[in-house]
Amino acid sequence: MVKQLDPILDRTFAALADPTRRALLARLGEAETLSVSELARPFPVSLPAIMKHLDVLSDAGLVERRKSGRVVSCRLNAAPMEEAMAWLSRYQRFWTERIDRLAA
């Protein structure tokens, strides 16, 4: 078995695997920046749980955090998703070709 190592891609997919983290990213995609408390408000989980999710997203490079006084603001960084999209598009082409051959 061939094992290809790409830690950036691995961290991106691991971060995107959780529905709460995807929802956090969706909320950040709708605003320039949000404080952690604003970001956490609609979720039925504790603030420490949200912070752990934000740690995973930050480690993957998907969220940038800045602290100003007592307020921590979060901002979406979609750049790591570009590599994930490129990886997925290779498989999209593969399956599109297979389906086209089947249809023919």
Side-chain angles (χ1 to χ4, degrees):
M1 174 157 87
V2 176
K3 183 169 173 107
Q4 296 179 345
L5 298 175
D6 188 343
I8 294 170
L9 189 61
D10 293 345
R11 282 194 305 264
T12 301
F13 278 121
L16 295 174
D18 184 85
T20 301
R21 290 193 287 266
R22 290 192 306 270
L24 288 167
L25 291 175
R27 284 194 34 93
L28 286 171
E30 296 170 354
E32 179 80 23
T33 61
L34 289 172
S35 71
V36 171
S37 58
E38 291 171 327
L39 190 55
R41 192 168 292 129
F43 294 95
V45 296
S46 67
L47 190 57
I50 293 295
M51 293 300 291
K52 287 181 182 181
H53 284 299
L54 289 172
D55 287 342
V56 173
L57 292 168
S58 293
D59 289 346
L62 295 166
V63 169
E64 296 173 357
R65 292 189 272 192
R66 287 208 171 94
K67 188 171 184 178
S68 177
R70 295 175 54 176
V71 177
V72 177
S73 296
C74 298
R75 179 176 170 271
L76 176 66
N77 177 24
M81 286 188 251
E82 289 179 36
E83 187 177 346
M85 290 297 298
W87 188 87
L88 289 169
S89 74
R90 282 183 275 162
Y91 291 95
Q92 178 187 14
R93 285 190 301 271
F94 170 81
W95 285 110
T96 300
E97 290 171 9
R98 298 280 174 150
I99 290 170
D100 288 348
R101 276 191 255 147
L102 182 62

